[in-house]
Amino acid sequence: REARAAVLVEAGDIPAALTELRTILPAKPKNTDDVLRRLGRLELERGSPEQGVRIFSRLAASRPGDWQALTDL
């Protein structure tokens, strides 16, 4: 699904890429932080800063003290 999301981003279909990435999260993959970062960045890219901040806040809350999670905010 992540590879498909990357292809969709390259094709300019950000809404479909977001959908693909969101379907990954319930499975709690090992790279959940990476998936959340991609989601947040794509939300910002599509002009939804509120959604992006909400995702980055979720990431920062799950990783207290993680400098990368904090800088994403």
Side-chain angles (χ1 to χ4, degrees):
R1 296 233 173 218
E2 289 179 70
R4 180 167 164 68
V7 168
L8 290 166
V9 168
E10 287 296 317
D13 194 349
I14 292 175
L18 287 166
T19 299
E20 285 294 319
L21 290 172
R22 284 190 181 106
T23 62
I24 296 169
L25 289 176
K28 296 186 176 39
K30 287 188 262 183
N31 65 338
T32 296
D33 291 354
D34 293 334
V35 173
L36 286 171
R37 277 189 188 89
R38 285 189 203 120
L39 281 169
R41 289 179 183 137
L42 287 174
E43 288 290 3
L44 293 175
E45 190 174 318
R46 81 172 181 156
S48 298
E50 301 86 11
Q51 286 288 97
V53 168
R54 189 164 45 152
I55 291 167
F56 290 133
S57 295
R58 175 180 168 190
L59 179 59
S62 72
R63 308 279 302 193
D66 180 338
W67 68 268
Q68 191 171 4
L70 294 173
T71 58
D72 287 335
L73 269 174

Short mmCIF file of all heavy atoms in Angstrom, two decimals:
data_model
loop_
_atom_site.label_atom_id
_atom_site.label_comp_id
_atom_site.label_asym_id
_atom_site.label_seq_id
_atom_site.Cartn_x
_atom_site.Cartn_y
_atom_site.Cartn_z
N ARG A 1 0.81 -1.21 0.00
CA ARG A 1 0.00 0.00 0.00
C ARG A 1 0.85 1.26 0.00
O ARG A 1 0.47 2.25 -0.58
CB ARG A 1 -0.93 0.00 1.21
CG ARG A 1 -1.94 -1.12 1.16
CD ARG A 1 -3.29 -0.56 1.34
NE ARG A 1 -4.27 -1.60 1.14
CZ ARG A 1 -5.41 -1.39 0.53
NH1 ARG A 1 -5.72 -0.21 0.11
NH2 ARG A 1 -6.26 -2.36 0.37
N GLU A 2 1.98 1.22 0.70
CA GLU A 2 2.84 2.40 0.71
C GLU A 2 3.40 2.69 -0.67
O GLU A 2 3.49 3.85 -1.07
CB GLU A 2 3.97 2.22 1.71
CG GLU A 2 3.49 2.28 3.14
CD GLU A 2 4.62 2.08 4.11
OE1 GLU A 2 5.46 2.99 4.21
OE2 GLU A 2 4.65 1.03 4.76
N ALA A 3 3.77 1.64 -1.38
CA ALA A 3 4.29 1.83 -2.74
C ALA A 3 3.20 2.40 -3.64
O ALA A 3 3.47 3.29 -4.46
CB ALA A 3 4.80 0.51 -3.30
N ARG A 4 1.98 1.90 -3.49
CA ARG A 4 0.86 2.42 -4.28
C ARG A 4 0.62 3.89 -3.95
O ARG A 4 0.38 4.71 -4.84
CB ARG A 4 -0.39 1.60 -4.03
CG ARG A 4 -1.59 2.07 -4.80
CD ARG A 4 -2.72 1.05 -4.76
NE ARG A 4 -3.99 1.59 -5.16
CZ ARG A 4 -4.32 2.00 -6.37
NH1 ARG A 4 -3.43 1.92 -7.34
NH2 ARG A 4 -5.51 2.46 -6.65
N ALA A 5 0.71 4.24 -2.67
CA ALA A 5 0.53 5.63 -2.26
C ALA A 5 1.60 6.51 -2.90
O ALA A 5 1.30 7.62 -3.36
CB ALA A 5 0.57 5.75 -0.74
N ALA A 6 2.82 6.03 -2.95
CA ALA A 6 3.90 6.80 -3.57
C ALA A 6 3.63 7.04 -5.05
O ALA A 6 3.86 8.14 -5.57
CB ALA A 6 5.23 6.09 -3.38
N VAL A 7 3.12 6.02 -5.73
CA VAL A 7 2.79 6.16 -7.16
C VAL A 7 1.67 7.18 -7.33
O VAL A 7 1.71 8.01 -8.24
CB VAL A 7 2.39 4.78 -7.75
CG1 VAL A 7 1.78 4.94 -9.13
CG2 VAL A 7 3.59 3.86 -7.80
N LEU A 8 0.68 7.13 -6.45
CA LEU A 8 -0.43 8.07 -6.53
C LEU A 8 0.04 9.51 -6.29
O LEU A 8 -0.42 10.43 -6.97
CB LEU A 8 -1.52 7.68 -5.53
CG LEU A 8 -2.28 6.41 -5.88
CD1 LEU A 8 -3.08 5.91 -4.68
CD2 LEU A 8 -3.19 6.64 -7.08
N VAL A 9 0.96 9.70 -5.37
CA VAL A 9 1.51 11.03 -5.12
C VAL A 9 2.22 11.52 -6.37
O VAL A 9 2.05 12.67 -6.79
CB VAL A 9 2.45 11.04 -3.90
CG1 VAL A 9 3.24 12.34 -3.81
CG2 VAL A 9 1.67 10.81 -2.61
N GLU A 10 3.03 10.67 -6.96
CA GLU A 10 3.75 11.05 -8.19
C GLU A 10 2.78 11.43 -9.31
O GLU A 10 3.08 12.31 -10.11
CB GLU A 10 4.66 9.90 -8.65
CG GLU A 10 5.88 9.72 -7.80
CD GLU A 10 6.82 10.92 -7.86
OE1 GLU A 10 7.05 11.46 -8.95
OE2 GLU A 10 7.30 11.30 -6.78
N ALA A 11 1.63 10.76 -9.33
CA ALA A 11 0.63 11.05 -10.36
C ALA A 11 -0.21 12.27 -10.01
O ALA A 11 -1.05 12.70 -10.80
CB ALA A 11 -0.28 9.84 -10.55
N GLY A 12 0.01 12.82 -8.80
CA GLY A 12 -0.74 14.00 -8.40
C GLY A 12 -2.06 13.72 -7.73
O GLY A 12 -2.85 14.63 -7.49
N ASP A 13 -2.33 12.46 -7.43
CA ASP A 13 -3.61 12.09 -6.81
C ASP A 13 -3.43 11.97 -5.29
O ASP A 13 -3.42 10.87 -4.73
CB ASP A 13 -4.11 10.77 -7.41
CG ASP A 13 -5.56 10.50 -7.07
OD1 ASP A 13 -6.13 11.21 -6.22
OD2 ASP A 13 -6.13 9.56 -7.66
N ILE A 14 -3.30 13.11 -4.66
CA ILE A 14 -3.05 13.12 -3.21
C ILE A 14 -4.22 12.55 -2.42
O ILE A 14 -3.99 11.77 -1.48
CB ILE A 14 -2.67 14.55 -2.75
CG1 ILE A 14 -1.29 14.89 -3.32
CG2 ILE A 14 -2.66 14.65 -1.22
CD1 ILE A 14 -0.83 16.29 -3.07
N PRO A 15 -5.48 12.85 -2.76
CA PRO A 15 -6.58 12.25 -1.99
C PRO A 15 -6.54 10.72 -2.00
O PRO A 15 -6.75 10.08 -0.96
CB PRO A 15 -7.84 12.78 -2.67
CG PRO A 15 -7.41 14.09 -3.26
CD PRO A 15 -5.99 13.85 -3.72
N ALA A 16 -6.24 10.12 -3.13
CA ALA A 16 -6.16 8.66 -3.20
C ALA A 16 -4.96 8.14 -2.40
O ALA A 16 -5.05 7.10 -1.74
CB ALA A 16 -6.08 8.19 -4.64
N ALA A 17 -3.85 8.88 -2.44
CA ALA A 17 -2.67 8.48 -1.66
C ALA A 17 -2.98 8.54 -0.16
O ALA A 17 -2.59 7.64 0.59
CB ALA A 17 -1.50 9.39 -1.99
N LEU A 18 -3.70 9.57 0.27
CA LEU A 18 -4.10 9.66 1.67
C LEU A 18 -4.96 8.47 2.07
O LEU A 18 -4.79 7.90 3.15
CB LEU A 18 -4.85 10.98 1.92
CG LEU A 18 -3.99 12.23 1.92
CD1 LEU A 18 -4.87 13.47 1.81
CD2 LEU A 18 -3.12 12.30 3.15
N THR A 19 -5.88 8.10 1.22
CA THR A 19 -6.75 6.95 1.50
C THR A 19 -5.92 5.68 1.64
O THR A 19 -6.13 4.89 2.57
CB THR A 19 -7.80 6.78 0.38
OG1 THR A 19 -8.60 7.97 0.34
CG2 THR A 19 -8.67 5.58 0.61
N GLU A 20 -4.98 5.49 0.74
CA GLU A 20 -4.11 4.30 0.82
C GLU A 20 -3.35 4.27 2.14
O GLU A 20 -3.28 3.24 2.80
CB GLU A 20 -3.11 4.28 -0.35
CG GLU A 20 -3.71 3.90 -1.67
CD GLU A 20 -4.19 2.46 -1.72
OE1 GLU A 20 -3.51 1.57 -1.19
OE2 GLU A 20 -5.28 2.24 -2.27
N LEU A 21 -2.76 5.39 2.51
CA LEU A 21 -1.97 5.43 3.74
C LEU A 21 -2.85 5.22 4.97
O LEU A 21 -2.43 4.56 5.92
CB LEU A 21 -1.21 6.75 3.83
CG LEU A 21 -0.07 6.92 2.84
CD1 LEU A 21 0.49 8.33 2.89
CD2 LEU A 21 1.03 5.89 3.07
N ARG A 22 -4.06 5.77 4.95
CA ARG A 22 -4.94 5.59 6.10
C ARG A 22 -5.37 4.14 6.29
O ARG A 22 -5.66 3.72 7.41
CB ARG A 22 -6.17 6.49 5.95
CG ARG A 22 -5.85 7.92 6.25
CD ARG A 22 -7.10 8.78 6.33
NE ARG A 22 -6.74 10.15 6.60
CZ ARG A 22 -6.78 11.12 5.70
NH1 ARG A 22 -7.20 10.90 4.47
NH2 ARG A 22 -6.41 12.34 6.03
N THR A 23 -5.41 3.37 5.22
CA THR A 23 -5.80 1.97 5.36
C THR A 23 -4.70 1.14 6.01
O THR A 23 -4.97 0.05 6.52
CB THR A 23 -6.16 1.33 4.00
OG1 THR A 23 -5.02 1.36 3.15
CG2 THR A 23 -7.32 2.04 3.34
N ILE A 24 -3.48 1.66 6.03
CA ILE A 24 -2.35 0.95 6.63
C ILE A 24 -2.38 1.05 8.15
O ILE A 24 -2.03 0.10 8.86
CB ILE A 24 -1.01 1.54 6.11
CG1 ILE A 24 -0.87 1.30 4.62
CG2 ILE A 24 0.16 0.97 6.87
CD1 ILE A 24 0.28 2.06 3.99
N LEU A 25 -2.80 2.19 8.68
CA LEU A 25 -2.68 2.47 10.11
C LEU A 25 -3.38 1.48 11.04
O LEU A 25 -2.82 1.13 12.07
CB LEU A 25 -3.15 3.89 10.41
CG LEU A 25 -2.21 4.97 9.92
CD1 LEU A 25 -2.81 6.34 10.16
CD2 LEU A 25 -0.85 4.87 10.56
N PRO A 26 -4.58 0.98 10.73
CA PRO A 26 -5.22 0.04 11.65
C PRO A 26 -4.40 -1.23 11.91
O PRO A 26 -4.53 -1.85 12.95
CB PRO A 26 -6.55 -0.29 10.99
CG PRO A 26 -6.84 0.90 10.14
CD PRO A 26 -5.49 1.37 9.65
N ALA A 27 -3.56 -1.58 10.97
CA ALA A 27 -2.72 -2.79 11.13
C ALA A 27 -1.52 -2.53 12.05
O ALA A 27 -0.78 -3.46 12.36
CB ALA A 27 -2.24 -3.28 9.77
N LYS A 28 -1.33 -1.27 12.47
CA LYS A 28 -0.22 -0.88 13.34
C LYS A 28 1.14 -1.39 12.83
O LYS A 28 1.80 -2.19 13.48
CB LYS A 28 -0.47 -1.34 14.76
CG LYS A 28 -1.67 -0.71 15.38
CD LYS A 28 -1.79 -1.09 16.83
CE LYS A 28 -2.86 -0.47 17.55
NZ LYS A 28 -3.98 -0.08 17.58
N PRO A 29 1.51 -0.92 11.65
CA PRO A 29 2.79 -1.37 11.09
C PRO A 29 3.96 -0.88 11.93
O PRO A 29 3.84 0.06 12.71
CB PRO A 29 2.81 -0.73 9.70
CG PRO A 29 1.94 0.47 9.83
CD PRO A 29 0.87 0.10 10.82
N LYS A 30 5.11 -1.53 11.75
CA LYS A 30 6.32 -1.13 12.48
C LYS A 30 6.71 0.31 12.17
O LYS A 30 7.31 0.98 12.98
CB LYS A 30 7.49 -2.05 12.14
CG LYS A 30 7.37 -3.43 12.75
CD LYS A 30 8.64 -4.21 12.54
CE LYS A 30 8.45 -5.10 11.35
NZ LYS A 30 9.58 -5.97 11.09
N ASN A 31 6.37 0.76 10.97
CA ASN A 31 6.73 2.11 10.55
C ASN A 31 5.56 3.09 10.66
O ASN A 31 5.41 3.99 9.86
CB ASN A 31 7.28 2.09 9.13
CG ASN A 31 6.24 1.68 8.12
OD1 ASN A 31 5.24 1.04 8.44
ND2 ASN A 31 6.45 2.06 6.87
N THR A 32 4.75 2.92 11.70
CA THR A 32 3.59 3.79 11.90
C THR A 32 3.99 5.26 11.91
O THR A 32 3.31 6.09 11.32
CB THR A 32 2.85 3.43 13.20
OG1 THR A 32 2.33 2.10 13.07
CG2 THR A 32 1.70 4.37 13.48
N ASP A 33 5.11 5.58 12.55
CA ASP A 33 5.56 6.97 12.60
C ASP A 33 5.81 7.52 11.20
O ASP A 33 5.41 8.64 10.89
CB ASP A 33 6.84 7.11 13.43
CG ASP A 33 6.62 6.85 14.91
OD1 ASP A 33 5.47 6.67 15.33
OD2 ASP A 33 7.62 6.82 15.63
N ASP A 34 6.43 6.73 10.35
CA ASP A 34 6.69 7.16 8.97
C ASP A 34 5.39 7.39 8.21
O ASP A 34 5.26 8.35 7.46
CB ASP A 34 7.54 6.14 8.23
CG ASP A 34 8.95 6.03 8.79
OD1 ASP A 34 9.44 7.02 9.37
OD2 ASP A 34 9.55 4.95 8.64
N VAL A 35 4.44 6.49 8.41
CA VAL A 35 3.15 6.61 7.72
C VAL A 35 2.44 7.88 8.19
O VAL A 35 1.90 8.65 7.38
CB VAL A 35 2.27 5.36 7.95
CG1 VAL A 35 0.87 5.57 7.39
CG2 VAL A 35 2.91 4.13 7.32
N LEU A 36 2.47 8.14 9.51
CA LEU A 36 1.85 9.36 10.02
C LEU A 36 2.54 10.60 9.48
O LEU A 36 1.86 11.58 9.11
CB LEU A 36 1.89 9.36 11.55
CG LEU A 36 0.91 8.42 12.23
CD1 LEU A 36 1.18 8.33 13.72
CD2 LEU A 36 -0.54 8.85 11.97
N ARG A 37 3.86 10.59 9.39
CA ARG A 37 4.57 11.74 8.82
C ARG A 37 4.15 11.98 7.36
O ARG A 37 3.94 13.12 6.96
CB ARG A 37 6.07 11.52 8.89
CG ARG A 37 6.65 11.87 10.20
CD ARG A 37 8.18 11.85 10.20
NE ARG A 37 8.61 12.01 11.58
CZ ARG A 37 8.81 11.00 12.42
NH1 ARG A 37 8.68 9.76 12.01
NH2 ARG A 37 9.17 11.24 13.66
N ARG A 38 4.07 10.92 6.60
CA ARG A 38 3.64 11.07 5.20
C ARG A 38 2.24 11.64 5.13
O ARG A 38 1.95 12.52 4.31
CB ARG A 38 3.71 9.73 4.47
CG ARG A 38 5.10 9.33 4.15
CD ARG A 38 5.14 8.11 3.25
NE ARG A 38 6.43 7.46 3.43
CZ ARG A 38 6.60 6.23 3.84
NH1 ARG A 38 5.58 5.45 4.08
NH2 ARG A 38 7.81 5.73 3.99
N LEU A 39 1.34 11.12 5.98
CA LEU A 39 -0.03 11.63 6.00
C LEU A 39 -0.04 13.12 6.34
O LEU A 39 -0.73 13.90 5.67
CB LEU A 39 -0.87 10.87 7.03
CG LEU A 39 -1.40 9.51 6.62
CD1 LEU A 39 -1.96 8.78 7.83
CD2 LEU A 39 -2.46 9.65 5.55
N GLY A 40 0.69 13.50 7.37
CA GLY A 40 0.72 14.90 7.76
C GLY A 40 1.25 15.80 6.67
O GLY A 40 0.68 16.86 6.39
N ARG A 41 2.32 15.38 6.04
CA ARG A 41 2.90 16.19 4.96
C ARG A 41 1.97 16.30 3.76
O ARG A 41 1.87 17.35 3.13
CB ARG A 41 4.25 15.62 4.56
CG ARG A 41 5.29 15.85 5.64
CD ARG A 41 6.63 15.27 5.29
NE ARG A 41 7.55 15.48 6.41
CZ ARG A 41 8.39 14.57 6.86
NH1 ARG A 41 8.48 13.40 6.26
NH2 ARG A 41 9.16 14.84 7.89
N LEU A 42 1.30 15.19 3.44
CA LEU A 42 0.35 15.24 2.32
C LEU A 42 -0.85 16.13 2.63
O LEU A 42 -1.35 16.83 1.75
CB LEU A 42 -0.11 13.83 1.95
CG LEU A 42 0.92 12.97 1.22
CD1 LEU A 42 0.39 11.55 1.05
CD2 LEU A 42 1.28 13.57 -0.13
N GLU A 43 -1.29 16.11 3.88
CA GLU A 43 -2.40 17.01 4.26
C GLU A 43 -1.97 18.46 4.09
O GLU A 43 -2.73 19.28 3.59
CB GLU A 43 -2.85 16.74 5.70
CG GLU A 43 -3.61 15.45 5.88
CD GLU A 43 -4.99 15.44 5.26
OE1 GLU A 43 -5.41 16.42 4.60
OE2 GLU A 43 -5.68 14.42 5.43
N LEU A 44 -0.74 18.77 4.51
CA LEU A 44 -0.25 20.13 4.32
C LEU A 44 -0.16 20.47 2.84
O LEU A 44 -0.54 21.57 2.42
CB LEU A 44 1.12 20.29 4.98
CG LEU A 44 1.16 20.20 6.50
CD1 LEU A 44 2.61 20.26 6.99
CD2 LEU A 44 0.32 21.27 7.14
N GLU A 45 0.34 19.53 2.06
CA GLU A 45 0.51 19.76 0.62
C GLU A 45 -0.82 20.01 -0.07
O GLU A 45 -0.89 20.80 -1.01
CB GLU A 45 1.20 18.55 0.00
CG GLU A 45 1.64 18.76 -1.42
CD GLU A 45 2.46 17.60 -1.96
OE1 GLU A 45 3.32 17.08 -1.22
OE2 GLU A 45 2.22 17.21 -3.11
N ARG A 46 -1.85 19.34 0.39
CA ARG A 46 -3.16 19.53 -0.27
C ARG A 46 -3.92 20.73 0.28
O ARG A 46 -5.05 21.01 -0.12
CB ARG A 46 -4.00 18.27 -0.22
CG ARG A 46 -4.73 18.04 1.04
CD ARG A 46 -5.67 16.87 0.88
NE ARG A 46 -6.41 16.67 2.11
CZ ARG A 46 -7.56 16.08 2.17
NH1 ARG A 46 -8.13 15.62 1.08
NH2 ARG A 46 -8.18 15.93 3.31
N GLY A 47 -3.29 21.46 1.22
CA GLY A 47 -3.91 22.67 1.74
C GLY A 47 -4.81 22.45 2.94
O GLY A 47 -5.74 23.23 3.15
N SER A 48 -4.53 21.42 3.72
CA SER A 48 -5.32 21.14 4.93
C SER A 48 -4.42 21.19 6.16
O SER A 48 -4.13 20.17 6.78
CB SER A 48 -5.99 19.76 4.82
OG SER A 48 -6.87 19.71 3.74
N PRO A 49 -3.99 22.42 6.53
CA PRO A 49 -3.05 22.52 7.66
C PRO A 49 -3.63 22.01 8.98
O PRO A 49 -2.89 21.46 9.80
CB PRO A 49 -2.71 24.00 7.72
CG PRO A 49 -3.81 24.69 7.00
CD PRO A 49 -4.32 23.72 5.98
N GLU A 50 -4.93 22.18 9.19
CA GLU A 50 -5.53 21.69 10.44
C GLU A 50 -5.37 20.19 10.57
O GLU A 50 -5.03 19.67 11.63
CB GLU A 50 -7.02 22.07 10.53
CG GLU A 50 -7.29 23.55 10.47
CD GLU A 50 -7.39 24.08 9.05
OE1 GLU A 50 -7.46 23.29 8.08
OE2 GLU A 50 -7.35 25.31 8.90
N GLN A 51 -5.62 19.47 9.48
CA GLN A 51 -5.47 18.02 9.47
C GLN A 51 -4.01 17.64 9.68
O GLN A 51 -3.70 16.70 10.41
CB GLN A 51 -5.97 17.43 8.16
CG GLN A 51 -7.46 17.42 8.00
CD GLN A 51 -8.07 16.38 8.91
OE1 GLN A 51 -8.53 16.69 10.01
NE2 GLN A 51 -8.08 15.14 8.47
N GLY A 52 -3.12 18.35 9.00
CA GLY A 52 -1.70 18.07 9.14
C GLY A 52 -1.22 18.25 10.58
O GLY A 52 -0.53 17.39 11.13
N VAL A 53 -1.63 19.34 11.20
CA VAL A 53 -1.23 19.60 12.59
C VAL A 53 -1.82 18.54 13.52
O VAL A 53 -1.15 18.07 14.45
CB VAL A 53 -1.66 21.02 13.03
CG1 VAL A 53 -1.53 21.20 14.53
CG2 VAL A 53 -0.83 22.06 12.29
N ARG A 54 -3.04 18.14 13.26
CA ARG A 54 -3.66 17.10 14.10
C ARG A 54 -2.87 15.79 14.01
O ARG A 54 -2.62 15.13 15.01
CB ARG A 54 -5.11 16.88 13.68
CG ARG A 54 -5.85 15.98 14.64
CD ARG A 54 -7.33 16.04 14.47
NE ARG A 54 -7.69 15.99 13.06
CZ ARG A 54 -8.82 15.51 12.60
NH1 ARG A 54 -9.70 15.02 13.42
NH2 ARG A 54 -9.09 15.52 11.32
N ILE A 55 -2.46 15.43 12.82
CA ILE A 55 -1.67 14.21 12.63
C ILE A 55 -0.31 14.34 13.30
O ILE A 55 0.13 13.43 14.00
CB ILE A 55 -1.53 13.88 11.13
CG1 ILE A 55 -2.89 13.46 10.56
CG2 ILE A 55 -0.49 12.79 10.90
CD1 ILE A 55 -2.96 13.42 9.05
N PHE A 56 0.36 15.47 13.10
CA PHE A 56 1.66 15.67 13.73
C PHE A 56 1.54 15.72 15.26
O PHE A 56 2.42 15.25 15.97
CB PHE A 56 2.34 16.93 13.21
CG PHE A 56 2.81 16.80 11.78
CD1 PHE A 56 2.55 17.79 10.85
CD2 PHE A 56 3.52 15.68 11.36
CE1 PHE A 56 2.98 17.68 9.54
CE2 PHE A 56 3.96 15.56 10.04
CZ PHE A 56 3.69 16.56 9.14
N SER A 57 0.44 16.27 15.77
CA SER A 57 0.21 16.28 17.22
C SER A 57 0.05 14.87 17.75
O SER A 57 0.57 14.53 18.82
CB SER A 57 -1.02 17.11 17.56
OG SER A 57 -0.81 18.46 17.24
N ARG A 58 -0.67 14.05 17.01
CA ARG A 58 -0.84 12.64 17.40
C ARG A 58 0.52 11.94 17.45
O ARG A 58 0.82 11.20 18.39
CB ARG A 58 -1.76 11.95 16.39
CG ARG A 58 -1.91 10.48 16.61
CD ARG A 58 -2.83 9.88 15.56
NE ARG A 58 -2.77 8.44 15.59
CZ ARG A 58 -3.30 7.66 14.68
NH1 ARG A 58 -3.95 8.18 13.65
NH2 ARG A 58 -3.20 6.36 14.76
N LEU A 59 1.33 12.21 16.47
CA LEU A 59 2.66 11.62 16.41
C LEU A 59 3.51 12.09 17.59
O LEU A 59 4.16 11.29 18.26
CB LEU A 59 3.33 11.97 15.09
CG LEU A 59 4.74 11.45 14.85
CD1 LEU A 59 4.78 9.93 14.93
CD2 LEU A 59 5.24 11.92 13.49
N ALA A 60 3.50 13.38 17.87
CA ALA A 60 4.29 13.93 18.97
C ALA A 60 3.81 13.38 20.31
O ALA A 60 4.62 13.09 21.20
CB ALA A 60 4.23 15.45 18.96
N ALA A 61 2.50 13.20 20.47
CA ALA A 61 1.95 12.66 21.73
C ALA A 61 2.37 11.21 21.94
O ALA A 61 2.57 10.78 23.07
CB ALA A 61 0.44 12.78 21.73
N SER A 62 2.52 10.48 20.86
CA SER A 62 2.89 9.07 20.98
C SER A 62 4.39 8.89 21.17
O SER A 62 4.85 7.80 21.50
CB SER A 62 2.44 8.28 19.75
OG SER A 62 3.22 8.60 18.62
N ARG A 63 5.16 9.95 20.94
CA ARG A 63 6.63 9.88 21.04
C ARG A 63 7.16 11.06 21.85
O ARG A 63 7.92 11.87 21.33
CB ARG A 63 7.24 9.91 19.64
CG ARG A 63 6.71 8.91 18.64
CD ARG A 63 7.31 7.61 18.80
NE ARG A 63 8.75 7.75 18.66
CZ ARG A 63 9.55 6.73 18.51
NH1 ARG A 63 9.06 5.53 18.48
NH2 ARG A 63 10.84 6.90 18.40
N PRO A 64 6.76 11.19 23.13
CA PRO A 64 7.24 12.33 23.91
C PRO A 64 8.76 12.37 23.97
O PRO A 64 9.41 11.35 24.16
CB PRO A 64 6.63 12.11 25.29
CG PRO A 64 6.09 10.73 25.31
CD PRO A 64 5.98 10.26 23.90
N GLY A 65 9.29 13.54 23.77
CA GLY A 65 10.74 13.71 23.80
C GLY A 65 11.45 13.40 22.50
O GLY A 65 12.65 13.61 22.37
N ASP A 66 10.72 12.91 21.51
CA ASP A 66 11.31 12.60 20.20
C ASP A 66 11.46 13.90 19.42
O ASP A 66 10.47 14.52 19.05
CB ASP A 66 10.42 11.61 19.45
CG ASP A 66 10.95 11.21 18.09
OD1 ASP A 66 11.77 11.95 17.51
OD2 ASP A 66 10.54 10.16 17.59
N TRP A 67 12.70 14.32 19.18
CA TRP A 67 12.94 15.59 18.52
C TRP A 67 12.31 15.66 17.14
O TRP A 67 11.82 16.70 16.72
CB TRP A 67 14.44 15.90 18.44
CG TRP A 67 15.19 14.98 17.52
CD1 TRP A 67 15.81 13.82 17.85
CD2 TRP A 67 15.37 15.12 16.11
NE1 TRP A 67 16.36 13.22 16.74
CE2 TRP A 67 16.10 14.02 15.66
CE3 TRP A 67 14.97 16.09 15.19
CZ2 TRP A 67 16.44 13.83 14.32
CZ3 TRP A 67 15.31 15.91 13.85
CH2 TRP A 67 16.04 14.80 13.44
N GLN A 68 12.31 14.55 16.41
CA GLN A 68 11.75 14.58 15.06
C GLN A 68 10.23 14.79 15.11
O GLN A 68 9.69 15.55 14.33
CB GLN A 68 12.08 13.32 14.29
CG GLN A 68 11.73 13.43 12.83
CD GLN A 68 12.24 12.27 12.00
OE1 GLN A 68 12.80 11.33 12.53
NE2 GLN A 68 12.05 12.35 10.72
N ALA A 69 9.58 14.11 16.04
CA ALA A 69 8.12 14.29 16.18
C ALA A 69 7.80 15.73 16.55
O ALA A 69 6.83 16.31 16.06
CB ALA A 69 7.58 13.32 17.23
N LEU A 70 8.62 16.32 17.41
CA LEU A 70 8.38 17.71 17.82
C LEU A 70 8.64 18.69 16.69
O LEU A 70 7.93 19.67 16.55
CB LEU A 70 9.24 18.05 19.04
CG LEU A 70 8.88 17.28 20.31
CD1 LEU A 70 9.91 17.57 21.41
CD2 LEU A 70 7.48 17.61 20.78
N THR A 71 9.66 18.43 15.88
CA THR A 71 9.94 19.37 14.78
C THR A 71 8.91 19.25 13.67
O THR A 71 8.70 20.20 12.93
CB THR A 71 11.36 19.16 14.19
OG1 THR A 71 11.49 17.82 13.74
CG2 THR A 71 12.42 19.48 15.20
N ASP A 72 8.25 18.10 13.55
CA ASP A 72 7.18 17.97 12.56
C ASP A 72 6.04 18.94 12.86
O ASP A 72 5.40 19.43 11.96
CB ASP A 72 6.63 16.54 12.52
CG ASP A 72 7.58 15.56 11.87
OD1 ASP A 72 8.40 15.99 11.05
OD2 ASP A 72 7.50 14.37 12.19
N LEU A 73 5.81 19.17 14.16
CA LEU A 73 4.77 20.11 14.54
C LEU A 73 5.14 21.50 14.08
O LEU A 73 4.40 22.28 13.67
CB LEU A 73 4.58 20.13 16.06
CG LEU A 73 3.55 19.17 16.59
CD1 LEU A 73 3.57 19.19 18.11
CD2 LEU A 73 2.16 19.48 16.11
#
